[in-house]
Amino acid sequence: MLRGKNQKNNGKLANRFKDLLTVKWENNQVIMIDQTKLPGKLVYVRYKKYEDVARAIERLVVRGAPAIGVAAAFGMSLAAISSKAKTKKALLKDLKIAYNRLRSTRPTAVNLVWALDRIMNEASSKNELEDMKESIVHSSLNMATDDITTNKQLGKNGAEMIHNDDVILTHCNAGSLATVTYGTALGVLRAASDMGKNIQVIATETRPVMQGSRLTAFELDHYGIDFSLIPDTAVGHLMSSGLINKVIVGADRILKTGHVYNKIGTYQVAALAKRHNIPFYVAAPSSTFDLTSKVNEVVIEERNKNELMKMGNKLLAPKGIKVLNPAFDVTPPELITGIITEIGIINPPYEKTIAKIVRHG
Amino acid sequence: MLRGKNQKNNGKLANRFKDLLTVKWENNQVIMIDQTKLPGKLVYVRYKKYEDVARAIERLVVRGAPAIGVAAAFGMSLAAISSKAKTKKALLKDLKIAYNRLRSTRPTAVNLVWALDRIMNEASSKNELEDMKESIVHSSLNMATDDITTNKQLGKNGAEMIHNDDVILTHCNAGSLATVTYGTALGVLRAASDMGKNIQVIATETRPVMQGSRLTAFELDHYGIDFSLIPDTAVGHLMSSGLINKVIVGADRILKTGHVYNKIGTYQVAALAKRHNIPFYVAAPSSTFDLTSKVNEVVIEERNKNELMKMGNKLLAPKGIKVLNPAFDVTPPELITGIITEIGIINPPYEKTIAKIVRHG
């Protein structure tokens, strides 16, 4: 179905409109695109154990807040199926172990906890062992399907903000590869493009993990949307040169005050957009909202220094030096023009509008 | 004299205070550190032909505005020595060919033109062939010596702006490796450190060529100054977290209005510093000033897309995509707290102060 390495010669056009399916459930296994291998190879990996799914989330085989949520839910399905528990209590104990392991993988994206909590609630609400297992698998499959519906609606809502001849900057990857498929920020751009709007995209490399070069560029190329790749250092220069007139990014967690946690670098893109009066939009499903935490309570993941020190086996900096590698930052509400969700577009003042529109949490 | 790969076991301490000599003249040859091999290997290359020096400047074997100026002057010395001209006119013709080739290497840094013009003027002022050749070599050697004196004075002047416990961000490499030795922005930090001030440095990676990871990190490590490396995407986050209280960078060209051309990414660092009320200093010798050009007249070099697409042989993004790779940007005067030169620190309003202090051009 997807463009694999053996299908290269089929040409791009035939595949251009085929969806990349980032994570799926098949024959009681979780199948994912191994995103660490992109853009060089489009490789699928299969997991039968939740521990391997947890490790895959940590290693960024799968990343992107919505995709992580669904992957974790499938991880719970694996845990349920493989459990040898004979009682509800014993199964819940096994599930809680898997829950804790999966939850510990990454601290910042809230969709992970949201999905895991939903699965645990689902399991707890049943009485029979087989019902419990079945409902977990059923619930995780629903989550995957809902993710697609949600993103398509979100894309449609957001596409109204995109005008003919817009040049839109995006940071990191909030595309098919960050979701089950279709994407959030890139979903908006796909929807606009599908509506026949003539757009150009500017994609930042997004150091250190280069989700822009490796994933967003791969997707935009795959879907045939006109784009240019830039280094993260060129954002300000291109904005001051008047070459960008809109920004759209995804989110890993949005607080009810409108503070947006997203890939490191998002805050400075937003601050630069503000300086140049360029509208800055966030696109995220309602599962990204965390209506209870406060700004100083959210943990910003600090990742391994090797992400900066190495590229494959090549050493990029002298051995043994100190590195700061925060994976996320927080963009304050005053820099955000609007938050695009599947429910609709949320406008400031966020401390009032978010709580009205988003009901969970 | 320098820490080479065969001297690794001598330990760092013994070498910590030894100067890295970026470019020098020896036995009628130009010797340079091959900066494309850093930080993995400290390798010296020798050139006997000006064409090879020109190619080395293009390939970033040598980079940094002051170092490029001196390298180009040495290139002219090679052209003079190897010329078979029998008359002044013929020698000037040979020199003009070398001048044009060397000048064409990189468009943005002004020290290149400054150095080449000085050499041509020197040559034109003599009448005898041997006098001409000798004066060119002499003049280029003086330029190299002056560069060191200038940087040490600049460092001393700038160190007064650095206080105990400062955490100073620097972008790109304005160190020994960007000059003959000692450096401009890093020279200020070395001088402050030598005065016993307790400082910490934050070095950005500086995509796409990674002068921060490869060169600044190498130098700060070499000189034993406490520092951490960060991705370019983390600048805003660290500033908003209150972890940085000063910024200092070099410059490739400074106009009399105070517009500063420097490595891509400088403008956004300056804009973010402004947003967070963090003083932003530029350190550059007076040879960096261009008192005649206007903002829209300066060419910003667009470099090869492979700088973003590849790391060694590893492909970082899908083949065939479009890339924007401007090597420099312009920081407007309103973002600059002060310009540190060997003559003194220049303060705003720059349209008045620069012309008063800098006399050439």
Side-chain angles (χ1 to χ4, degrees):
Chain A
M1 188 178 87
L2 297 168
R3 180 173 58 157
K5 53 181 175 172
N6 299 325
Q7 293 162 278
K8 243 180 194 161
N9 295 327
N10 294 356
K12 264 184 204 173
L13 265 178
N15 294 290
R16 190 155 277 185
F17 303 105
K18 299 261 173 85
D19 276 337
L20 291 162
L21 208 55
T22 301
V23 52
K24 62 178 173 174
W25 180 258
E26 207 176 81
N27 301 328
N28 288 349
Q29 297 178 352
V30 185
I31 301 175
M32 302 178 187
I33 295 176
D34 183 350
Q35 300 191 36
T36 68
K37 299 282 195 293
L38 288 173
K41 291 177 191 166
L42 182 58
V43 175
Y44 294 84
V45 282
R46 290 171 177 269
Y47 299 115
K48 297 176 187 173
K49 295 179 184 168
Y50 78 84
E51 293 93 334
D52 294 335
V53 174
R55 191 76 198 105
I57 295 172
E58 286 170 342
R59 283 185 51 235
L60 311 185
V61 170
V62 63
R63 29 62 55 200
I68 288 173
V70 173
F74 285 150
M76 291 299 287
S77 294
L78 293 179
I81 288 171
S82 62
S83 170
K84 296 195 169 65
K86 302 281 186 245
T87 63
K88 176 177 175 179
K89 198 178 160 193
L91 178 55
L92 282 176
K93 199 179 156 194
D94 282 354
L95 289 173
K96 191 67 188 171
I97 293 169
Y99 174 98
N100 287 334
R101 173 69 187 98
L102 288 160
R103 188 180 168 152
S104 74
T105 51
R106 301 198 65 194
T108 310
V110 78
N111 318 54
L112 175 67
V113 181
W114 173 86
L116 288 170
D117 283 345
R118 260 182 67 171
I119 296 290
M120 284 305 281
N121 289 340
E122 193 61 40
S124 308
S125 72
K126 306 292 178 211
N127 288 317
E128 299 302 318
L129 273 188
E130 280 317 302
D131 277 3
M132 286 170 73
K133 293 187 179 186
E134 207 172 281
S135 74
I136 290 175
V137 175
H138 186 73
S139 182
S140 62
L141 281 167
N142 275 351
M143 242 179 250
T145 317
D146 289 352
D147 182 78
I148 303 174
T149 324
T150 296
N151 292 338
K152 289 198 169 162
Q153 186 57 47
L154 185 160
K156 215 170 148 188
N157 294 345
E160 300 195 4
M161 318 299 295
I162 306 295
H163 304 302
N164 225 15
D165 300 330
D166 269 355
V167 181
I168 306 132
L169 182 137
T170 189
H171 181 61
C172 195
N173 174 269
S176 293
L177 293 164
T179 60
V180 173
T181 193
Y182 205 77
T184 54
L186 292 191
V188 169
L189 301 179
R190 283 179 70 182
S193 180
D194 288 349
M195 286 175 191
K197 292 179 184 176
N198 179 35
I199 59 168
Q200 274 185 65
V201 180
I202 304 287
T204 58
E205 289 189 300
T206 317
R207 283 288 294 163
V209 181
M210 310 201 93
Q211 293 90 344
S213 312
R214 298 190 302 108
L215 310 180
T216 297
F218 176 82
E219 283 197 36
L220 292 171
D221 193 38
H222 182 85
Y223 295 124
I225 294 176
D226 186 16
F227 77 103
S228 299
L229 183 70
I230 64 163
D232 298 296
T233 46
V235 172
H237 175 63
L238 293 183
M239 285 184 177
S240 74
S241 306
L243 294 176
I244 292 165
N245 71 329
K246 217 156 267 176
V247 177
I248 186 164
V249 299
D252 289 83
R253 187 189 295 232
I254 305 176
L255 304 190
K256 72 172 169 200
T257 47
H259 287 83
V260 169
Y261 290 80
N262 192 43
K263 180 55 51 202
I264 189 76
T266 303
Y267 163 61
Q268 64 193 45
V269 170
L272 292 162
K274 186 74 166 183
R275 183 178 173 84
H276 295 284
N277 296 314
I278 298 169
F280 178 92
Y281 291 98
V282 173
S286 58
S287 58
T288 311
F289 286 82
D290 167 3
L291 301 183
T292 51
S293 300
K294 294 194 176 118
V295 170
N296 52 10
E297 293 168 356
V298 179
V299 176
I300 292 191
E301 180 181 9
E302 179 81 23
R303 291 188 59 86
N304 195 291
K305 66 184 269 189
N306 279 336
E307 290 182 353
L308 275 89
M309 296 292 290
K310 287 181 169 185
M311 183 73 74
N313 289 323
K314 191 178 162 69
L315 199 65
L316 302 179
K319 268 186 192 168
I321 65 169
K322 287 191 286 185
V323 167
L324 298 175
N325 185 20
F328 302 93
D329 61 23
V330 53
T331 299
E334 62 269 23
L335 301 181
I336 301 165
T337 311
I339 303 174
I340 302 162
T341 75
E342 78 279 17
I343 309 168
I345 297 175
I346 308 179
N347 294 305
Y350 298 111
E351 71 275 15
K352 288 183 184 170
T353 52
I354 287 175
K356 248 185 226 165
I357 292 175
V358 183
R359 293 295 180 187
H360 78 81
Chain B
M1 190 180 87
L2 295 169
R3 179 173 60 156
K5 55 181 173 171
N6 299 326
Q7 293 163 278
K8 242 182 195 165
N9 295 327
N10 294 356
K12 263 183 204 173
L13 266 176
N15 294 290
R16 189 156 277 184
F17 303 105
K18 300 261 173 85
D19 277 337
L20 291 162
L21 208 56
T22 301
V23 52
K24 63 179 174 175
W25 180 258
E26 206 176 81
N27 300 327
N28 288 349
Q29 297 178 352
V30 185
I31 302 174
M32 299 178 188
I33 294 176
D34 183 349
Q35 300 191 35
T36 67
K37 298 283 194 295
L38 288 174
K41 291 177 191 165
L42 181 58
V43 175
Y44 294 85
V45 282
R46 290 171 177 270
Y47 298 116
K48 296 176 188 173
K49 295 177 185 171
Y50 79 84
E51 293 93 334
D52 294 335
V53 173
R55 192 75 199 105
I57 294 172
E58 286 170 342
R59 283 185 50 235
L60 312 185
V61 170
V62 63
R63 29 64 54 200
I68 289 173
V70 172
F74 284 149
M76 291 300 286
S77 293
L78 293 179
I81 288 172
S82 63
S83 169
K84 297 196 168 64
K86 301 280 187 244
T87 64
K88 177 177 176 177
K89 198 179 161 192
L91 178 55
L92 281 177
K93 199 179 158 197
D94 282 353
L95 289 173
K96 191 67 187 171
I97 292 169
Y99 174 99
N100 287 335
R101 174 68 187 97
L102 286 160
R103 187 177 169 153
S104 74
T105 51
R106 301 198 64 195
T108 311
V110 78
N111 318 55
L112 175 67
V113 181
W114 174 86
L116 289 170
D117 283 345
R118 260 182 67 171
I119 296 290
M120 284 305 282
N121 289 339
E122 192 61 40
S124 309
S125 72
K126 306 290 178 213
N127 288 317
E128 300 301 320
L129 271 188
E130 280 317 303
D131 278 2
M132 286 171 74
K133 294 186 177 186
E134 207 172 281
S135 75
I136 289 174
V137 175
H138 187 72
S139 182
S140 63
L141 281 169
N142 275 349
M143 241 179 251
T145 317
D146 288 353
D147 182 77
I148 303 174
T149 324
T150 296
N151 292 338
K152 290 198 169 163
Q153 186 58 48
L154 186 161
K156 216 169 146 186
N157 294 345
E160 300 194 5
M161 318 299 295
I162 307 295
H163 304 303
N164 225 15
D165 300 330
D166 269 355
V167 181
I168 307 131
L169 182 138
T170 189
H171 182 62
C172 195
N173 175 270
S176 292
L177 293 163
T179 60
V180 174
T181 192
Y182 204 76
T184 54
L186 291 191
V188 169
L189 301 180
R190 283 179 70 182
S193 180
D194 288 349
M195 286 175 189
K197 291 178 185 177
N198 180 36
I199 58 167
Q200 274 184 65
V201 180
I202 303 288
T204 57
E205 290 189 301
T206 317
R207 283 288 294 162
V209 182
M210 310 202 93
Q211 292 90 342
S213 312
R214 298 190 303 106
L215 310 180
T216 296
F218 176 82
E219 282 197 38
L220 292 171
D221 194 38
H222 183 84
Y223 295 124
I225 293 175
D226 187 16
F227 78 102
S228 298
L229 183 70
I230 64 164
D232 297 297
T233 46
V235 172
H237 175 63
L238 293 184
M239 285 183 176
S240 75
S241 306
L243 294 176
I244 292 165
N245 71 328
K246 218 156 265 174
V247 176
I248 186 164
V249 298
D252 290 83
R253 189 189 292 233
I254 304 175
L255 305 190
K256 72 174 168 197
T257 48
H259 287 82
V260 169
Y261 290 80
N262 193 44
K263 180 54 51 201
I264 189 74
T266 303
Y267 163 62
Q268 65 193 45
V269 170
L272 291 163
K274 187 72 164 185
R275 183 177 173 84
H276 295 284
N277 295 314
I278 298 168
F280 178 93
Y281 292 98
V282 173
S286 57
S287 57
T288 310
F289 287 82
D290 168 3
L291 302 182
T292 51
S293 301
K294 291 190 179 126
V295 170
N296 52 9
E297 294 168 356
V298 179
V299 176
I300 291 191
E301 180 181 8
E302 180 81 22
R303 292 188 58 88
N304 194 291
K305 66 184 269 189
N306 279 337
E307 289 182 352
L308 274 88
M309 297 292 290
K310 287 181 169 186
M311 183 73 73
N313 289 324
K314 190 178 163 68
L315 199 64
L316 303 180
K319 269 187 191 168
I321 64 169
K322 289 192 285 185
V323 167
L324 299 175
N325 185 20
F328 301 94
D329 61 24
V330 55
T331 300
E334 63 269 23
L335 301 181
I336 301 165
T337 311
I339 303 174
I340 302 161
T341 75
E342 78 279 19
I343 308 169
I345 297 175
I346 308 180
N347 294 305
Y350 298 111
E351 72 275 14
K352 290 185 181 168
T353 52
I354 288 175
K356 249 185 223 167
I357 292 174
V358 184
R359 293 296 179 186
H360 77 81

